[in-house]
Amino acid sequence: RKEVEQDPGPFNVPEGATVAFNCTYSNSASQSFFWYRQDCRKEPKLLMSVYSSGNEDGRFTAQLNRASQYISLLIRDSKLSDSATYLCVVTQRGADGLTFGKGTHLIIQP
Amino acid sequence: EPEVTQTPSHQVTQMGQEVILRCVPISNHLYFYWYRQILGQKVEFLVSFYNNEISEKSEIFDDQFSVERPDGSNFTLKIRSTKLEDSAMYFCASSAEGLAGIAKNIQYFGAGTRLSVL
């Protein structure tokens, strides 16, 4: 099982700012890509899937660069409630287990 | 909204004892998974299960681990003889069947069972 690398942070960002973080994955056979969010001592929750063409969901934008094996997440107009750990996740096929990065810890400050 | 349910939320056991962690996946899902997360570390895949058999397992999932779907709703993870290093949060997840019998790739996670081995 190949690896997913993320900057662990923490990223300390003022409320309302834009923040971006990214991850790299080593398995070139990876086919599906996700950002999950994990609050302290809670389960991972799907934030968004990441598509090759890039995709946006409200204040969140995800990008995928298959050639560089790089995934990014941009959060605009950050809210206090965005404080969490953001997990970069990849998998090869639909039924495969997910490979998680260690996560990037984001702290939004008032 | 349907959800994955796990019991108990916290399990304390003595080293060497057997534990069974229980999960009720989302009702129309056919693919089931167990993951673990040691405190401060990343979420790690243990095993996937489909059609009453293991479809994939990681190197962590050694002979002390087993999974079972004893009835139409429960999915269990058994740890035969617990070690101190088995202390972790264990998450169950499930996903639906998509087109042509292939799993949809979005997995939904339960709230987890915190296992403490003393």
Side-chain angles (χ1 to χ4, degrees), chain B residues 24-35:
Chain B
V24 178
I26 294 173
S27 64
N28 63 342
H29 285 187
L30 298 178
Y31 295 84
F32 314 119
Y33 310 85
W34 283 101
Y35 294 83

Side-chain angles (χ1 to χ4, degrees), chain A residues 54-68:
Chain A
N55 49 299
E56 189 174 305
D57 183 0
R59 297 182 294 109
F60 300 86
T61 301
Q63 299 275 357
L64 168 65
N65 184 323
R66 283 187 186 268
S68 303

Side-chain angles (χ1 to χ4, degrees), chain B residues 7 9 36-37 42 44 48 51-52 56-57 65 88 98 100:
Chain B
T7 54
S9 56
R36 79 171 185 192
Q37 187 175 30
K42 65 181 178 181
E44 299 174 290
S48 59
N51 200 25
N52 281 319
E56 187 192 15
K57 60 182 180 179
F65 291 94

Side-chain angles (χ1 to χ4, degrees), chain B residues 68-81:
Chain B
E68 192 178 28
R69 184 140 164 93
D71 54 45
S73 59
N74 289 284
F75 178 52
T76 61
L77 174 69
K78 182 191 292 186
I79 308 175
R80 208 180 332 276
S81 176

